[in-house]
Amino acid sequence: MYDDLARTQNPTAVEWFVLHAVIPSVIVTAAFHWKPPIATAPSTAPSVERFVTVCVITPPPLIPDVFPTLVRMPRPVYPEAMRRAGIEGRVVLRALVNTRGRVDSSSILVMRATHVAFAVPARQALKAALFRPGWFGGQRLDAWITIAIDFTLSRE
């Protein structure tokens, strides 16, 4: 007896290939080759707009063999208003470290911050930081890092 449920749970290699490779590539190819109809004489029929959604499939980013490591970073300036109020906090940043070990300032992204006043000093400190660059396949590589910067009064 043919069990359709069991077959769909364990697709064959050909079914997987068609579903995950052939069909998406046909859709993307059709979207790139689609041309709008040539305009003709105006008609009284209502116009119909056509929208095509294109999905660009990109390869996953390279995972480095050795991630960038922090060599030195200046202490971020504690905002005076936060110091007076006794507020501590943490900022989590994501940034791109280039092959020279410097952070690309346009790539710095604030992922989380306990208070918005800590974000600017944390970005400035990370911009001035120095890293050992990441390596992939024996070559230096631009790599993304995620770093948390804590603002605590006990260390001040």
Side-chain angles (χ1 to χ4, degrees), residues 38-59:
I38 299 173
T40 57
S43 67
T44 58
S47 65
V48 177
E49 294 182 16
R50 295 185 182 174
F51 295 98
V52 177
T53 302
V54 178
C55 296
V56 178
I57 302 170
T58 59

Side-chain angles (χ1 to χ4, degrees), residues 26-151:
V26 168
I27 292 171
V28 169
T29 302
F32 281 128
H33 289 283
W34 179 79
K35 292 181 182 161
I38 299 173
T40 57
S43 67
T44 58
S47 65
V48 177
E49 294 182 16
R50 295 185 182 174
F51 295 98
V52 177
T53 302
V54 178
C55 296
V56 178
I57 302 170
T58 59
L62 296 175
I63 298 175
D65 296 334
V66 178
F67 283 92
T69 52
L70 182 63
V71 174
R72 68 176 176 266
M73 181 172 69
R75 181 177 292 221
V77 177
Y78 209 111
E80 192 57 39
M82 295 290 137
R83 181 190 319 274
R84 282 194 308 266
I87 298 174
E88 296 183 339
R90 171 179 264 207
V91 179
V92 179
L93 302 164
R94 183 177 170 133
L96 184 66
V97 177
N98 63 24
T99 56
R100 294 172 310 179
R102 295 292 182 176
V103 173
D104 182 12
S105 61
S106 64
S107 72
I108 299 174
L109 176 68
V110 178
M111 303 296 286
R112 283 187 304 271
T114 55
H115 197 282
V116 72
F118 294 128
V120 172
R123 285 177 55 97
Q124 291 171 344
L126 185 59
K127 191 173 12 175
L130 178 64
F131 289 83
R132 265 192 232 106
W135 287 80
F136 182 79
Q139 296 181 11
R140 288 182 176 191
L141 165 82
D142 291 353
W144 288 94
I145 57 146
T146 303
I147 188 168
I149 299 176
D150 291 320
F151 290 83

